[in-house]
Amino acid sequence: LALMARDRVQVTGRLAAGPDAVWAVLRYFTAHWHPWIATIKAEHDPRGALVRAFTVAGEAVTYREQLTYLSDSDRVLGYTHLEGIAGCDRYNARISLAGAETGGTLVTWSAEVEASGTRLQAICDGTRAVFEAGLAALPGVLGRVPVAAEPMPAPAPLETLIFDDLPRLALTVTPDLGDGRLC
């Protein structure tokens, strides 16, 4: 029985481009912009969650990561590792952007990693190298990345229900589309 250990990797970079330009690349979870990625494609798990399946140049392994959080207003993207990193028990990563006080963008890319003590350091070292290579490549891909945008569902019709009792309340609802989505 191997003991699990935890660590955190965080890499921060400052880019001359503004947050809108940087977010235009990073917000697309399945975009092919990182220099080490050989192939990438969008998949969906049985519940419909977005998963990116990708390979890295020089490796035969297919990695899968699931999008867990996306906020365009906060410019934050979170994801979790599903498969591909040998010996990794848990891996949750996050990319966040903020405008730098003197202009440009501050990008913070971090990951919480849990693995057996014998694998943890190698996974963290590899993660740091991936994050650093990605941040170094971003200035060269801004504005010209072929973005593989995730398909958006068609807008659902809205209906507003008004309750006449006091206090007067209203609720906007969509019809049940039969696909299991709450919203």
Side-chain angles (χ1 to χ4, degrees), residues 90-131:
R90 187 178 65 87
Y91 184 107
N92 294 313
R94 174 184 169 111
I95 299 173
S96 61
L97 306 182
E101 287 183 20
T102 58
T105 305
L106 189 64
V107 181
T108 304
W109 201 345
S110 62
E112 298 284 336
V113 181
E114 186 173 312
S116 69
T118 59
R119 284 284 299 141
L120 182 62
Q121 190 61 52
I123 293 169
C124 289
D125 290 347
T127 295
R128 180 172 304 284
V130 167
F131 291 178

Side-chain angles (χ1 to χ4, degrees), residues 52-122:
R52 64 179 171 201
F54 63 94
T55 60
V56 174
E59 294 184 18
V61 177
T62 297
Y63 296 88
R64 284 190 170 76
E65 296 171 336
Q66 178 183 323
L67 180 67
T68 57
Y69 183 77
L70 178 70
S71 172
D72 283 322
S73 59
D74 293 333
R75 295 186 185 108
V76 175
L77 180 146
Y79 60 95
T80 190
H81 165 264
L82 300 175
E83 66 181 68
I85 303 174
C88 186
D89 190 53
R90 187 178 65 87
Y91 184 107
N92 294 313
R94 174 184 169 111
I95 299 173
S96 61
L97 306 182
E101 287 183 20
T102 58
T105 305
L106 189 64
V107 181
T108 304
W109 201 345
S110 62
E112 298 284 336
V113 181
E114 186 173 312
S116 69
T118 59
R119 284 284 299 141
L120 182 62
Q121 190 61 52

Side-chain angles (χ1 to χ4, degrees), residues 30-54:
T30 59
H32 188 207
W33 64 269
H34 195 286
W36 293 0
I37 290 182
T39 64
I40 189 167
K41 67 177 182 170
E43 299 177 345
H44 292 276
D45 75 1
R47 296 176 305 149
L50 182 62
V51 174
R52 64 179 171 201
F54 63 94

